[in-house]
Amino acid sequence: MSGPPEEPQGRPEPVGPPRIPMPRASVEDGERPLPPPPVPAGPDAPEPPPADRRAPLVLEHHVLKSLLGAWALAACSPQETAAVEEHLGECGGCAEEALRLRDAVGLLHPPESLDLDPGLRTRVLRGCLDRRPPRIPVPEWAAPYDAETARLDALLQDIGDSEWHAPVRLRWFEREETADRRTTVAGVIAHLLCVDGLVATALGLDDPLGDLATAAPGPTQRTETYWRTAHLPPTRDVRAPWREQSHALVRTVSFTGGPAGKPAVGYGDFELPLRDAMLDRAFECWVHAEDIADAVDYPYAPPAPRHLHRMIDLAARMLPVALAARRQAGLAAPAPTRHLVPAGEPGRSLRLEIEGLGGGEWLIPLDAPGAAGSADHEVAHVALDGVEFCRLAAGHVAPREAAAGQVGDREAIRDVLYAAASLSRL
């Protein structure tokens, strides 16, 4: 008879699953099929099978109509967007509502210009000068010229070589009609260089025309002489002498510009005090900068309001003389009185009201340049926007097309509007 079975030698077998998992078998070593390769992404990727495509949404009319607001804000899912746009091609009422909503969304997000604020340079300079005032400040009456030449120079920095030859149409007013002359961007800068030279010679600086200046006393003659005698048409090289001259003018008037605004600057057949001549040059620089900006499709804003006010004031002060000149030439109605009003005495007046930027009111004497404007003798009232009035004085707006509010003597109003346009020149 045998005895009990012997117990196995060694460590007893564990009960339950092992603590340490066994190593996994590789897919390649087993009998399972290999997984499919990953689908490549990109334009060459194959289209998913039809089972993976989502079926288009089928929504009722009232649901689609309620989604129009979200669709206008681009807040719909791709499936909802597709359903709404398909519905818009079939439902005229929803299509009109969608257009109204899309236009309203555009008003919620107005486009912002990437150009710097025109007043940024002035604010930065004011902040710098508050910390450290200049030893020799630029006179207040020369600040518009300093600012406008700097703005035009910034425009010229942004244009390419080919744009310097872009055609520009210069416009002004002669007698009863608008005149024009075609040139290029470089030709406009050459024109500014020549006319600014009148102020330069009055201050004792070099004349850009040199020996040719004696044969060209006025702005138009100087410009025509420069264009005619140039060996080649003006190019971007004209920018450097123009900018150097403008810097020299500002420096010189800062040193020599006295309280009386002397010396006088000759324009051929008339003269202007130095202060007024600098304002005149600032005004023309802005006007021709807008001509250049239109030619090269560049955004350009009006001058700062305080500078624009000074330019408007200059034009308003020149109106009585321009009106008298037109009357002597037979282009304006004669004064109703037989004798001229004595200098300094009140006479018939027109109230010129300028609205908007640079606004204010001026009483323009109608019967004599030396007469004083008087509210008691007011016979007419004209209201104009500030920029519109400047464009009228620049010859860019015909007097009969000026959008003016008019009350009173129609003949006096017409004469003053035409006198304002006659201030323009090439």
Side-chain angles (χ1 to χ4, degrees):
M1 182 173 178
S2 63
E6 298 180 359
E7 294 182 0
Q9 300 294 327
R11 184 177 298 176
E13 294 183 1
V15 179
R19 290 185 176 181
I20 301 176
M22 299 298 291
R24 295 180 179 178
S26 175
V27 176
E28 288 82 354
D29 298 337
E31 297 180 355
R32 296 180 182 178
L34 295 176
V39 178
D44 299 332
E47 294 185 2
D52 294 338
R53 295 176 182 172
R54 295 184 180 181
L57 293 179
V58 179
L59 302 175
E60 297 182 3
H61 178 271
H62 69 278
V63 177
L64 292 169
K65 187 174 182 179
S66 66
L67 290 173
L68 293 179
W71 172 84
L73 293 169
C76 290
S77 67
Q79 290 76 23
E80 291 172 340
T81 300
V84 170
E85 291 178 352
E86 183 179 357
H87 178 67
L88 294 181
E90 301 173 354
C91 180
C94 288
E96 293 180 0
E97 180 67 16
L99 289 176
R100 286 194 293 268
L101 291 173
R102 180 61 62 87
D103 293 339
V105 169
L107 296 176
L108 295 176
H109 303 281
E112 298 182 359
S113 174
L114 298 179
D115 295 298
L116 296 177
D117 181 2
L120 178 62
R121 177 179 182 271
T122 302
R123 293 197 298 270
V124 172
L125 290 176
R126 185 183 296 116
C128 295
L129 296 176
D130 288 342
R131 290 176 176 268
R132 185 178 180 182
R135 291 185 303 166
I136 303 175
V138 176
E140 189 66 26
W141 45 268
Y145 178 79
D146 187 26
E148 292 310 308
T149 52
R151 291 207 305 146
L152 175 54
D153 190 55
L155 184 159
L156 299 177
Q157 286 180 347
D158 286 351
I159 66 177
D161 292 341
S162 62
E163 291 177 310
W164 280 87
H165 303 287
V168 179
R169 178 170 168 249
L170 301 180
R171 293 168 291 168
W172 67 97
F173 192 79
E174 285 185 357
R175 297 180 68 86
E176 299 292 315
E177 298 295 336
T178 300
D180 60 22
R181 177 69 184 273
R182 297 189 180 275
T183 182
T184 63
V185 171
V188 175
I189 302 303
H191 167 60
L192 292 175
L193 173 70
C194 294
V195 185
D196 286 357
L198 293 171
V199 183
T201 55
L203 293 172
L205 302 176
D206 293 336
D207 194 320
L209 287 182
D211 297 336
L212 299 174
T214 56
T220 302
Q221 296 89 344
R222 291 173 62 86
T223 302
E224 295 288 356
T225 299
Y226 185 95
W227 287 344
R228 184 176 62 255
T229 58
H231 297 291
L232 295 173
T235 64
R236 69 176 306 151
D237 294 337
V238 75
R239 176 191 167 198
W242 167 77
R243 193 64 179 124
E244 290 173 3
Q245 179 176 257
S246 65
H247 281 309
L249 290 177
V250 174
R251 285 195 304 267
T252 305
V253 299
S254 299
F255 280 98
T256 63
K262 294 181 179 180
V265 179
Y267 280 75
D269 52 353
F270 66 96
E271 289 184 347
L272 287 177
L274 179 60
R275 291 186 175 193
D276 291 346
M278 292 297 289
L279 284 173
D280 171 78
R281 302 317 308 139
F283 176 78
E284 188 166 357
C285 183
W286 163 47
V287 169
H288 288 323
E290 282 199 336
D291 293 334
I292 294 173
D294 291 341
V296 299
D297 196 18
Y298 191 98
Y300 208 78
R306 67 181 184 281
H307 294 166
L308 188 62
H309 178 82
R310 286 180 172 271
M311 298 177 193
I312 294 172
D313 178 70
L314 173 63
R317 288 187 284 112
M318 295 175 68
L319 278 177
V321 177
L323 181 58
R326 285 182 57 84
R327 186 173 289 131
Q328 290 176 359
L331 300 175
T337 57
R338 183 179 298 274
H339 302 288
L340 295 178
V341 178
E345 293 295 325
R348 290 190 319 137
S349 302
L350 176 141
R351 183 180 298 274
L352 177 63
E353 180 182 355
I354 301 299
E355 302 171 342
L357 297 177
E361 288 189 359
W362 289 263
L363 287 169
I364 311 299
L366 299 174
D367 296 333
S374 171
D376 296 334
H377 296 77
E378 181 180 329
V379 298
H381 185 176
V382 173
L384 275 167
D385 175 74
V387 175
E388 181 80 1
F389 175 75
C390 288
R391 288 174 177 159
L392 171 66
H396 286 197
V397 176
R400 55 183 173 274
E401 297 174 1
Q406 307 175 7
V407 176
D409 189 336
R410 295 293 179 180
E411 193 172 65
I413 293 172
R414 178 191 179 279
D415 289 343
V416 169
L417 292 179
Y418 273 80
S422 69
L423 296 175
S424 63
R425 59 180 182 272
L426 174 61

